[in-house]
């Protein structure tokens, strides 16, 4: 059973990953997506999106591609060019990435217009080729995983897409239990994951609308998946993963209090301003967004 911190562009950068995994409960995180067009990126592009690859940021356990508290981090790639995706995946692994996740769910217009993200959900054969191309160049001991939505306009191709991903050689599949058309509107259709999970031989990770421990159990029940990826709920309730893990062993913990959340934000700010490469254009929107999510709680 795994709890995974979702990739969230503009939110879950290396600093958020460090803070949230430092609280505990997470088994894995995924970087914000790195958009691949038709070129092979130089190392600095990978380091910017995925600073945990830098040797000088190695954890106490001497590991790269892990947060400071020792949680593995996978790189997420988004794109539709088989060769460029494979070349960039291979380069990331050469730089030390411990896993590659492929994005088949991004709803952004700019991404979809260029045939990437959720727009690929209308083309299972293309998804299959992309997964296969990346799997072929990534060593067997490094997982290649994928994240999809249930479909583009509707769920008609959800089984085809899931099979395409499995047959392409993915190690597991995360499903955001909504279509692109559903956007982020509740509900998430957790029950639609159960037949997909039954169809596949690889593990399915459920994602969408898990905001509380109760949601975790409801999602597990309806989806049949015990591994879950937490997105916005992780920002709203920074100790959500720890609360879920504690509930699973029938241990009760004090939920994180407001002073501790303020300290968390202060630490986030400090980590960002300590990096001379970041200016207020980077720092301000990220702080603002996280404060916005925290205010929901
Ligand atoms: C601000 C924001 C940015 C996101 N960026 C990404 C991304 O880079 N890659 C990705 O696969 N999904 C991305 N997502 C989708 C989330 O990973 C997740 O699938 C979605 O939020 C549903 O989970 P939740 O209901 O737990 O938030 C993003 C979501 C949000 C709200």
């Amino acid at each position: 059973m795994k709890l995974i911190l979702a990739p969230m562009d503009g939110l879950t950068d290396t600093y958020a990953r460090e803070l949230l995994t430092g609280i505990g409960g997470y088994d894995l995180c995924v970087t914000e997506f790195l958009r691949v067009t038709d070129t092979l990126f130089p190392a600095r592009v990978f380091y910017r999106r995925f600073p945990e690859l830098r040797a000088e940021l190695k954890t106490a356990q001497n590991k790269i591609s892990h947060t400071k508290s020792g949680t593995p981090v996978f790189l997420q790639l988004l794109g539709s060019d088989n060769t460029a995706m494979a070349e960039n995946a291979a380069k990331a692994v050469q730089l030390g990435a411990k896993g590659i996740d492929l994005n088949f769910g991004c709803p952004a217009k700019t991404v979809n217009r260029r045939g990437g993200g959720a727009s690929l959900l209308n083309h299972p054969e293309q998804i299959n080729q992309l997964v296969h191309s990346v799997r072929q160049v990534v060593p067997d001991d490094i997982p290649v995983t994928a994240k999809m939505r249930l479909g583009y306009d509707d769920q008609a191709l959800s089984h085809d897409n899931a099979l395409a991903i499995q047959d392409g050689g993915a190690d597991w599949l995360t499903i955001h239990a909504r279509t692109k058309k559903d956007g982020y509107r509740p509900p998430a259709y957790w029950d639609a994951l159960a037949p997909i999970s039954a169809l596949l031989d690889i593990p399915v990770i459920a994602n969408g609308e898990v905001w509380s421990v109760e949601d975790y159990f409801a999602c597990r029940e309806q989806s049949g998946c015990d591994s879950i990826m937490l997105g916005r709920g992780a920002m709203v309730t920074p100790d959500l993963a720890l609360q879920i893990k504690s509930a699973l062993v029938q241990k009760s913990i004090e939920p994180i209090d407001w002073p501790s959340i303020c300290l968390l934000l202060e630490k986030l700010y400090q980590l960002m301003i300590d990096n001379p490469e970041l200016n207020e254009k980077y720092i301000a929107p990220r702080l603002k967004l996280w404060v916005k999510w925290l205010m929901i709680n």
Side-chain angles (χ1 to χ4, degrees), residues 6-9 33 76 103 147 176 184 207-209 231-232:
M8 285 185 286
D9 188 37
F33 68 74
Q76 189 181 68
N103 178 320
K147 179 164 178 281
H176 176 183
Y184 290 95
N207 168 240
E209 296 297 323
R232 293 160 301 163

Side-chain angles (χ1 to χ4, degrees), residues 164-243:
I165 286 167
Q166 170 173 279
D167 295 347
D171 291 83
W172 69 77
L173 167 62
T174 303
I175 309 182
H176 176 183
R178 275 184 279 241
T179 63
K180 187 261 176 191
K181 195 175 168 191
D182 296 328
Y184 290 95
R185 263 187 321 278
Y189 300 93
W190 298 327
D191 54 349
L193 306 188
I196 302 180
S197 184
L199 184 70
L200 299 190
D201 298 322
I202 57 171
V204 171
I205 318 284
N207 168 240
E209 296 297 323
V210 175
W211 301 92
S212 64
V213 174
E214 293 72 32
D215 289 342
Y216 167 79
F217 285 109
C219 176
R220 189 176 77 166
E221 166 89 23
Q222 289 176 40
S223 67
C225 309
D226 59 0
S227 292
I228 292 198
M229 177 181 270
L230 301 171
R232 293 160 301 163
M235 311 303 293
V236 172
T237 306
D239 60 345
L240 181 56
L242 191 61
Q243 286 189 33

Side-chain angles (χ1 to χ4, degrees), residues 4 23 34 44 56 69 118 136 142 152 196 203 236 272 282:
I4 304 179
I23 293 173
L34 176 64
R44 73 182 140 76
E56 63 271 27
S69 51
Q136 274 195 313
I142 304 281
Y152 193 81
I196 302 180
V236 172
M272 292 199 282
Y282 182 94

Side-chain angles (χ1 to χ4, degrees), residues 46 75 88-100 137-139 142:
F46 292 93
L75 173 70
N88 281 289
K91 174 123 182 199
V93 171
Q94 196 194 324
L95 292 172
K98 295 285 183 270
I100 303 290
V137 299
V138 169
I142 304 281

Side-chain angles (χ1 to χ4, degrees), residues 37-287:
T37 50
D38 53 1
T39 47
L40 175 60
F41 289 127
R44 73 182 140 76
V45 173
F46 292 93
Y47 290 142
R48 209 185 299 135
R49 206 60 162 165
F50 192 177
E52 292 95 335
L53 286 180
R54 286 181 188 273
E56 63 271 27
L57 291 185
K58 268 194 299 217
T59 59
Q61 300 87 29
N62 229 12
K63 287 177 179 166
I64 56 170
S65 192
H66 285 69
T67 64
K68 287 224 172 75
S69 51
T71 308
V73 187
F74 285 9
L75 173 70
Q76 189 181 68
L77 295 177
L78 180 154
S80 53
D81 181 311
N82 294 339
T83 309
M85 288 286 275
E87 283 177 358
N88 281 289
K91 174 123 182 199
V93 171
Q94 196 194 324
L95 292 172
K98 295 285 183 270
I100 303 290
D101 185 61
L102 304 174
N103 178 320
F104 303 121
C106 180
K109 277 201 182 82
T110 41
V111 166
N112 287 187
R113 230 182 287 125
R114 293 186 172 86
S119 68
L120 285 162
L121 296 170
N122 285 326
H123 306 285
E125 70 298 336
Q126 220 179 321
I127 286 187
N128 174 266
Q129 282 306 306
L130 274 164
V131 178
H132 182 67
S133 305
V134 171
R135 181 69 277 176
Q136 274 195 313
V137 299
V138 169
D140 289 347
D141 60 331
I142 304 281
V144 171
T145 62
K147 179 164 178 281
M148 65 175 238
R149 284 181 179 246
L150 283 172
Y152 193 81
D153 285 325
D154 58 42
Q155 299 181 18
L157 290 176
S158 61
H159 292 202
D160 291 351
N161 282 319
L163 283 170
I165 286 167
Q166 170 173 279
D167 295 347
D171 291 83
W172 69 77
L173 167 62
T174 303
I175 309 182
H176 176 183
R178 275 184 279 241
T179 63
K180 187 261 176 191
K181 195 175 168 191
D182 296 328
Y184 290 95
R185 263 187 321 278
Y189 300 93
W190 298 327
D191 54 349
L193 306 188
I196 302 180
S197 184
L199 184 70
L200 299 190
D201 298 322
I202 57 171
V204 171
I205 318 284
N207 168 240
E209 296 297 323
V210 175
W211 301 92
S212 64
V213 174
E214 293 72 32
D215 289 342
Y216 167 79
F217 285 109
C219 176
R220 189 176 77 166
E221 166 89 23
Q222 289 176 40
S223 67
C225 309
D226 59 0
S227 292
I228 292 198
M229 177 181 270
L230 301 171
R232 293 160 301 163
M235 311 303 293
V236 172
T237 306
D239 60 345
L240 181 56
L242 191 61
Q243 286 189 33
I244 294 171
K245 284 275 172 80
S246 304
L248 283 167
V249 293
Q250 268 115 41
K251 190 173 136 204
S252 83
I253 56 160
E254 277 301 307
I256 192 167
D257 57 11
W258 183 241
S260 308
I261 287 179
C262 292
L263 287 175
L264 197 72
L265 283 175
E266 193 188 338
K267 189 162 177 207
L268 176 71
Y269 175 67
Q270 200 59 51
L271 285 170
M272 292 199 282
I273 59 165
D274 283 350
N275 183 345
E277 284 171 25
L278 303 183
N279 59 25
E280 80 252 27
K281 276 207 184 112
Y282 182 94
I283 297 173
R286 283 172 189 258
L287 266 180

